[in-house]
Amino acid sequence: MKAETKPTVLIVDDRADSIAILSSCLEDEYQLLTTDDGRIALELATQHLPDLILLDIMMSDLDGYAVCEQLKAKPATAEIPVVFVTALLNVADEERAFALGAVDYVTKPISRTILRARVRSHISQNKMHHELLAFAKVLEQKELDAEKAKRLLNAVLDAIPIRVFWKDPDSRYIGCNRHFANDNGMVSSEDIIGRTDFDLMPERAFALQAFAHTVISTGQSLLNQEGAITTHDGKLTHISLNHVPLLESDGSVIGIVGAYEDITQRKHTFDALQDAKIKLETKLEEIVSLQDKLLEAALRDPLTGLYNRRYLAETLDIMLAQATRNNMPLSAVMIDIDHFKAVNDSYGHPAGDEALKCLALFLSEQARSSDVVCRLGGEEFLILMMGASAENALLKIDRHRDDFSNTIIRHQNGELKITFSAGISVYPLHTENSKKLLEYADLALYASKHNGRNRVSIFNK
């Protein structure tokens, strides 16, 4: 079986390190084209027609805005999705990007997971967009063909399957074509003459008589009246019915001419298309929901449901930036269950898992809405407390430690109680570096362990 060709992504950035980062995020799923020059990017886009373009804004010679504008001006490249990846955080820059036709605006530093998800989503949406356009074009051509066929049918009534009839002012049939006669179980049109709707279609006679009376009394046509009839052989047929007045030269009504066509197949086709549209929309919703669930699962610890190390790596720098903007402290609290190996050895690993889940639930319930609680692995947890000073963090975590030490943990072999130790480091009191912040919290935790466990310590340089 022939391997499916990978989608192509063009990366345009005048910084080699940015190209390297973006390439490392995408190279396993996509064929990559890269350049640091806006003019070369236009040539590559025209030559290769990539499935998506990641475009920096601030570039020498030709900036990203100009590149995007030229791409959208050329029919060959206008439909290629453009995602700006930039360090510009101004709302006006983002608005300008979308005004030029970009489909997304991603700010640096990027999240690998989010970038991959967005690239995958935009390429999938663009592919589906083109498939729907092609499908719509086919449908449009079919409708044009049907309209042409309809005109031909009206031109040669007896040569095509359209039912035509005409009545006198008393609504008696005075003529019809062969198809109308056949539908009513007659061999020829002569068999219809002189009959009424009560003779031919008694179940619809009153409705048909009302149509005829309206046309005769008003002199106005009744067109495209949809309904269903049962032919003489018991077949249910959907029809589109028209009634038009027959006029004398003085404008007086001397009868009506009617025609109906079998639209059963068209109705079935329309119903099938509607069903397909609903199924497609449902499938799209399922895909979007699955993408959201997969992204959430990638950031959660499966045992406790807390955020994991990956989420911490993507969130810590963001929270530090927020703390800097708002001139607030950010406390990092490293927590470790005391004697956890002894719990596993004495009670078994299922009991250890219950202890981990119990502590995770306890920390989540005690956390503020602005706190971030993570499980780093094993029996180690971390809480990021926005706005909490060292003293406030110590007071709160020590109270949690005391409360949790009295919590009874039930497991399949009985009950147990455990304690935890904690270490606190604070931005910017101890460091302004995210890596050091976690390192210092870990050192403070080590101090708590060294000094007897079941206690909380603040990092001391």
Side-chain angles (χ1 to χ4, degrees):
M1 181 181 293
K2 185 178 180 180
E4 186 176 352
T5 303
K6 292 182 178 180
T8 302
V9 175
L10 172 57
I11 300 174
V12 188
D13 198 305
D14 63 352
R15 291 179 58 90
D17 55 344
S18 294
I19 290 178
I21 292 172
L22 294 172
S23 297
S24 68
C25 293
L26 305 173
E27 61 188 0
D28 59 332
E29 288 189 44
Y30 306 97
Q31 297 185 72
L32 300 181
L33 301 170
T34 63
T35 181
D36 59 358
D37 186 284
R39 299 189 188 281
I40 295 177
L42 292 171
E43 295 175 2
L44 289 173
T46 302
Q47 180 181 355
H48 296 280
L49 297 178
D51 296 281
L52 183 133
I53 298 174
L54 296 180
L55 182 58
D56 188 22
I57 292 178
M58 296 183 296
M59 298 188 297
S60 60
D61 192 15
L62 196 65
D63 66 17
Y65 290 137
V67 172
C68 183
E69 187 173 19
Q70 293 188 38
L71 286 169
K72 297 303 175 182
K74 296 173 62 177
T77 57
E79 295 299 320
I80 300 174
V82 175
V83 176
F84 279 108
V85 182
T86 178
L88 297 177
L89 304 178
N90 194 296
V91 172
D93 290 310
E94 186 172 355
E95 291 176 346
R96 183 180 178 189
F98 284 113
L100 288 171
V103 298
D104 211 341
Y105 190 94
V106 179
T107 57
K108 300 175 182 178
I110 64 168
S111 161
R112 296 173 61 91
T113 301
I114 293 176
L115 178 68
R116 287 166 66 93
R118 288 185 174 181
V119 168
R120 190 179 300 119
S121 175
H122 287 306
I123 289 179
S124 176
Q125 290 175 16
N126 191 53
K127 179 182 178 182
M128 189 169 298
H129 171 71
H130 287 291
E131 290 175 349
L132 288 175
L133 285 178
F135 185 58
K137 189 173 181 180
V138 171
L139 290 181
E140 182 181 6
Q141 186 59 48
K142 286 185 177 181
E143 290 179 357
L144 291 173
D145 293 341
E147 184 63 24
K148 181 180 179 181
K150 183 177 180 181
R151 290 196 301 269
L152 292 174
L153 288 175
N154 288 333
V156 284
L157 294 178
D158 278 335
I160 54 174
I162 189 169
R163 285 71 175 162
V164 182
F165 58 87
W166 43 101
K167 298 179 177 180
D168 64 19
D170 295 325
S171 203
R172 291 184 178 277
Y173 287 98
I174 55 177
C176 67
N177 72 349
R178 176 172 52 85
H179 299 295
F180 182 84
N182 294 161
D183 275 359
N184 287 280
M186 309 295 178
V187 176
S188 68
S189 59
E190 285 77 13
D191 298 325
I192 297 294
I193 296 173
R195 296 178 182 268
T196 68
D197 294 313
F198 290 97
D199 299 320
L200 302 179
M201 292 170 278
E203 75 281 359
R204 288 181 51 81
F206 286 108
L208 294 173
Q209 291 274 308
F211 287 152
H213 177 73
T214 299
V215 173
I216 291 170
S217 61
T218 65
Q220 302 295 317
S221 300
L222 286 178
L223 304 176
N224 301 318
Q225 304 293 311
E226 293 193 6
I229 62 171
T230 302
T231 58
H232 74 284
D233 57 359
K235 179 183 177 183
L236 181 66
T237 303
H238 295 275
I239 63 171
S240 176
L241 179 62
N242 299 287
H243 286 83
V244 178
L246 291 172
L247 304 177
E248 281 279 22
S249 58
D250 62 359
S252 60
V253 178
I254 60 171
I256 59 173
V257 61
Y260 67 84
E261 60 175 322
D262 184 346
I263 61 169
T264 304
Q265 186 58 47
R266 185 194 305 172
K267 182 173 175 59
H268 289 167
T269 300
F270 177 79
D271 292 343
L273 288 174
Q274 287 295 102
D275 289 343
K277 178 175 177 289
I278 292 172
K279 290 177 181 178
L280 179 59
E281 291 172 346
T282 301
K283 184 60 67 176
L284 285 174
E285 292 174 359
E286 291 175 355
I287 290 172
V288 171
S289 176
L290 179 60
Q291 287 176 336
D292 292 341
K293 289 178 181 178
L294 289 174
L295 180 59
E296 179 71 9
L299 302 176
R300 293 281 184 179
D301 171 51
L303 177 65
T304 64
L306 296 179
Y307 288 118
N308 58 20
R309 278 188 181 274
R310 178 180 293 182
Y311 181 83
L312 173 65
E314 296 180 359
T315 303
L316 181 54
D317 286 333
I318 295 174
M319 293 187 70
L320 285 174
Q322 181 183 349
T324 301
R325 286 195 304 272
N326 298 326
N327 195 25
M328 299 170 61
L330 175 65
S331 288
V333 183
M334 196 76 71
I335 294 174
D336 190 273
I337 296 176
D338 296 328
H339 304 294
F340 184 69
K341 184 177 183 304
V343 172
N344 281 331
D345 292 343
S346 300
Y347 300 100
H349 287 283
D353 289 346
E354 286 302 318
L356 292 170
K357 291 191 286 186
C358 184
L359 178 56
L361 179 61
F362 175 83
L363 295 177
S364 296
E365 290 176 342
Q366 302 303 318
R368 305 169 302 170
S369 60
S370 60
D371 294 342
V372 174
V373 184
C374 303
R375 182 190 176 198
L376 302 184
E379 67 271 29
E380 196 170 47
F381 298 78
L382 177 78
I383 305 176
L384 296 176
M385 303 175 67
M386 180 65 72
S389 64
E391 294 75 16
N392 290 338
L394 176 63
L395 183 64
K396 179 177 281 266
I397 298 303
D398 198 51
R399 185 167 62 248
H400 295 345
R401 177 200 57 75
D402 186 56
D403 291 342
F404 187 72
S405 67
N406 296 314
T407 299
I408 297 175
I409 300 172
R410 292 177 174 82
H411 57 92
Q412 62 184 13
N413 296 322
E415 299 177 347
L416 63 90
K417 290 183 179 181
I418 59 174
T419 61
F420 67 75
S421 300
I424 300 171
S425 66
V426 182
Y427 166 89
L429 176 65
H430 299 129
T431 180
E432 296 183 3
N433 179 275
S434 60
K435 184 177 180 181
K436 290 291 185 182
L437 186 69
L438 299 182
E439 181 182 325
Y440 290 164
D442 199 46
L443 289 174
L445 171 62
Y446 178 79
S448 294
K449 293 283 190 180
H450 182 73
N451 293 327
R453 295 183 170 83
N454 193 22
R455 66 188 64 235
V456 182
S457 302
I458 297 174
F459 174 70
N460 187 351
K461 292 185 177 181

